[in-house]
Amino acid sequence: RAVASVAETGKAFAAVTKEVTPAVVFIKAVKQHVMTGNMPNLNGLQGQIPDELLRRFFGNQMPDVPTPRPSQPMVGEGSGFLITEDGYILTNNHVVGGADKLEVTLNDGRKLEARLVGTDARTDVAIIKIDAQGLPTLPMGDSDAIEVGEWVLAIGSPFGLAGTVTSGIVSAKERDGMGITDYENFIQTDAAINPGNSGGPLVNMQGQAVGINTAIASRNGTYNGIGFAIPMNMAKQICEQLMEHGSVTRGYLGVMIQELTPDLAKSFGLDNATGALVGDVSGDGPAAAAGLQRGDVIVSLNGEPVKDVTSFRNQVAMIKPDTSVTLE
């Protein structure tokens, strides 16, 4: 019975992989690297003063002056996944941002040139597009619904090996303070993620993308059992704006907030240290217009409890400007 149970688990992984893999793509990003002919050891002058002008001062004694060389292409690799049948692809900003040329390899082997639709460096989300129709897509799941300990699959192209599948569990949720992006709310997983996996999907056992594989915690640059994915509920709102406008506009309250420590909570007569303390209010912001004051403690936003400063900042940023919200 135990062997049969393990076999059934393997069949479940295989079924999800078969359903999902056709929508996962390999991305090659090329950026032209311009080489300079100036002396490499002239601090502060490299790339600013023509060699001819330098020779007028140094003559032929100028040491180690290399001759100009043509630009050299820098090639990066990553992953992504199709979210529409007409070729919109969700990936990471650090995979495609700043590239001069993008080439996408589909699961069926076709290679197509892609164009950049929009990027958001502050969350590391990007959208690119290929010109094709009738493409397989990967449905987006509810990342808030996944639980720690739940099985997930990471699919992508580590080290250029397209269509690679690794399995693991959700190790933690709502990881922040990692210094990876400005707005962090990562899903942590022990599914193997390596260079080239970036931009690929983290998939639940219903065959839905619940995250975008983005980073690893490692001392040697390779898999050490800790990987991070952008939760799909955050990525959804970003990609909708990128597809519509090519950029992201965030909401703001016009307040400076700080952590509510246990001592501060006690001084305010609060039972626990959950919420965000208003340290200051901008005179011309929406918070001031609504009557917020320095020393207020924000404990809920639209009926949802405010856990801490980071999660509250993320929540506010995801709200479209000119939207009315309820604060407690």
Side-chain angles (χ1 to χ4, degrees):
R1 288 195 298 270
V3 171
S5 177
V6 172
E8 288 301 313
T9 300
K11 289 180 181 179
F13 287 166
V16 173
T17 300
K18 186 176 181 181
E19 184 73 21
V20 167
T21 300
V24 181
V25 304
F26 172 61
I27 300 172
K28 183 180 289 186
V30 180
K31 183 175 179 61
Q32 292 299 123
H33 178 59
V34 179
M35 307 296 289
T36 178
N38 285 354
M39 292 170 58
N41 59 342
L42 290 178
N43 294 331
L45 300 180
Q46 184 178 355
Q48 300 180 35
I49 302 177
D51 291 340
E52 293 79 7
L53 185 58
L54 290 172
R55 284 193 176 89
R56 288 177 60 182
F57 289 94
F58 295 100
N60 293 326
Q61 303 300 316
M62 189 170 63
D64 302 324
V65 180
T67 57
R69 289 177 288 170
S71 61
Q72 299 294 318
M74 299 176 64
V75 181
E77 297 178 345
S79 306
F81 54 100
L82 289 152
I83 57 174
T84 68
E85 294 183 354
D86 59 347
Y88 282 94
I89 296 169
L90 189 55
T91 185
N92 282 141
N93 171 67
H94 78 261
V95 172
V96 299
D100 296 309
K101 182 180 179 181
L102 296 169
E103 181 185 82
V104 169
T105 303
L106 301 179
N107 184 250
D108 60 13
R110 282 183 291 168
K111 297 180 185 295
L112 300 172
E113 188 171 335
R115 63 178 176 87
L116 187 64
V117 174
T119 66
D120 181 46
R122 304 188 75 179
T123 56
D124 201 14
V125 175
I127 293 285
I128 63 175
K129 186 170 188 314
I130 55 176
D131 292 327
Q133 298 292 328
L135 297 168
T137 62
L138 181 55
M140 300 183 188
D142 181 3
S143 55
D144 291 340
I146 63 170
E147 298 182 4
V148 175
E150 186 175 331
W151 280 107
V152 285
L153 303 178
I155 306 176
S157 306
F159 305 109
L161 301 172
T164 296
V165 182
T166 54
S167 67
I169 61 169
V170 174
S171 303
K173 294 175 62 177
E174 300 178 0
R175 288 293 196 207
D176 55 44
M178 309 301 299
I180 299 170
T181 60
D182 289 345
Y183 293 95
E184 297 182 338
N185 189 29
F186 292 116
I187 300 168
Q188 182 182 325
T189 180
D190 67 347
I193 296 174
N194 283 293
N197 271 116
S198 290
L202 187 70
V203 180
N204 62 17
M205 295 308 292
Q206 287 73 49
Q208 303 166 332
V210 292
I212 306 172
N213 299 320
T214 298
I216 56 177
S218 173
R219 294 178 179 176
N220 58 11
T222 55
Y223 170 68
N224 272 358
I226 299 178
F228 300 104
I230 300 167
M232 194 51 58
N233 287 6
M234 175 184 284
K236 282 179 190 176
Q237 300 179 55
I238 300 299
C239 74
E240 286 172 2
Q241 291 196 53
L242 292 177
M243 290 170 68
E244 186 173 351
H245 306 292
S247 60
V248 175
T249 303
R250 293 183 165 85
Y252 85 105
L253 285 179
V255 296
M256 291 183 63
I257 52 177
Q258 63 188 74
E259 292 287 351
L260 185 65
T261 65
D263 287 341
L264 285 172
K266 185 177 180 180
S267 70
F268 285 116
L270 298 174
D271 294 332
N272 51 59
T274 58
L277 174 62
V278 177
D280 202 0
V281 180
S282 174
D284 57 354
L292 267 74
Q293 302 176 24
R294 182 178 181 181
D296 282 341
V297 178
I298 302 172
V299 295
S300 74
L301 170 63
N302 286 337
E304 293 293 325
V306 174
K307 298 178 183 178
D308 51 42
V309 166
T310 302
S311 62
F312 179 65
R313 179 171 174 260
N314 289 342
Q315 285 175 292
V316 171
M318 292 299 109
I319 298 172
K320 292 181 180 180
D322 297 321
T323 300
S324 294
V325 300
T326 301
L327 296 180
E328 181 184 357

